[in-house]
Amino acid sequence: EAGVVQSPRYKIIEKKQPVAFWCNPISGHNTLYWYLQNLGQGPELLIRYENEEAVDDSQLPKDRFSAERLKGVDSTLKIQPAELGDSAVYLCASSLAPTSGGPQSSYNEQFFGPGTRLTVL
Amino acid sequence: DAKTTQPTSMDCAEGRAANLPCNHSTISGNEYVYWYRQIHSQGPQYIIHGLKNNETNEMASLIITEDRKSSTLILPHATLRDTAVYYCIVRAVYGNKLVFGAGTILRVKS
């Protein structure tokens, strides 16, 4: 079974240029996440989708970042314009939707892609 | 979600058990302990999770203290491929949000 696919793996751009990252989640996973990971730190959630709906985008800097998940499958994360501080790894993850309503764990494992390493010059 | 505290780094000899500690003194009753790891140039990978009982799977064992204020991830026979950053995360039962800290860098040496 294919894992989460991300492209490109590496991207180098000059500041003020636009950039886009693409993610293809695991087939059947209706929940998709975008994370930002700065060097030496753990990933930080940017946005979470349930199907095509963004259900948590509170950490997404909306002045320059945007995301979409048309048809509830693939997703694109865009930065326009990019700044020097945006240099980081952008991770995409997917999972089955969380369930709730009972005492048992409702956790569905998140599967991460390899990430896109962005360098802004 | 409760905060976790982990050592910055640890070393382990190849073939020996790696014991990675995590403090989560403010954990509440409905919060689970999760462990992920991240090998260099890869995305994080789920290892194991538990509520209050000890758990074991093909990758590792998770030992949670009776008061649930700390836990230990055990890799029984560490190999060079286990060199990675290990994240201990506390998460509420409902919802799927993971809040990562800086984790522990585990270096397995031959």
Side-chain angles (χ1 to χ4, degrees), chain B residues 11-83:
Chain B
D11 290 341
C12 177
E14 188 178 21
R16 304 297 295 269
N19 298 284
L20 292 96
C22 179
N23 284 322
H24 31 79
S25 58
T26 60
I27 193 169
S28 60
N30 68 343
E31 291 181 317
Y32 283 68
V33 180
Y34 293 81
W35 284 83
Y36 273 72
R37 75 178 183 184
Q38 187 171 21
I39 294 170
H40 182 63
S41 295
Q42 297 182 23
Q45 173 193 23
Y46 167 82
I47 301 173
I48 198 167
H49 76 283
L51 182 62
K52 52 184 176 182
N53 298 320
N54 298 337
E55 302 288 343
T56 296
N57 62 21
E58 65 278 4
M59 290 182 68
S61 294
L62 175 60
I63 309 298
I64 302 174
T65 57
E66 192 169 344
D67 63 7
R68 301 187 68 239
K69 293 185 177 182
S70 66
S71 61
T72 301
L73 178 74
I74 302 173
L75 307 179
H77 305 287
T79 71
L80 297 178
R81 287 176 295 180
D82 292 320
T83 293

Side-chain angles (χ1 to χ4, degrees), chain B residues 2-15:
Chain B
K3 279 194 165 183
T4 63
T5 304
Q6 299 178 253
T8 302
S9 65
M10 295 180 62
D11 290 341
C12 177
E14 188 178 21

Side-chain angles (χ1 to χ4, degrees), chain A residues 29-33 47-56 69 71-73 95-99 108 110, chain B residues 95-97:
Chain A
H29 282 189
N30 48 3
T31 305
L32 184 145
Y33 314 76
I47 189 169
R48 174 168 67 97
Y49 281 93
E50 297 286 346
N51 299 305
E52 59 276 355
E53 181 184 359
V55 297
D56 183 357
R69 192 184 183 198
K71 301 182 181 179
V73 182
S95 71
L96 295 171
T99 56
N108 287 311
Q110 290 187 31
Chain B
N96 238 20
K97 186 172 183 176

Side-chain angles (χ1 to χ4, degrees), chain A residues 6 10 16 30 42 52 56 59 77 83 85 100 116 118:
Chain A
Q6 290 189 248
Y10 305 91
K16 301 185 182 180
N30 48 3
E52 59 276 355
D56 183 357
Q59 300 304 312
L77 178 69
E83 297 178 353
S100 63
T116 296
L118 173 67

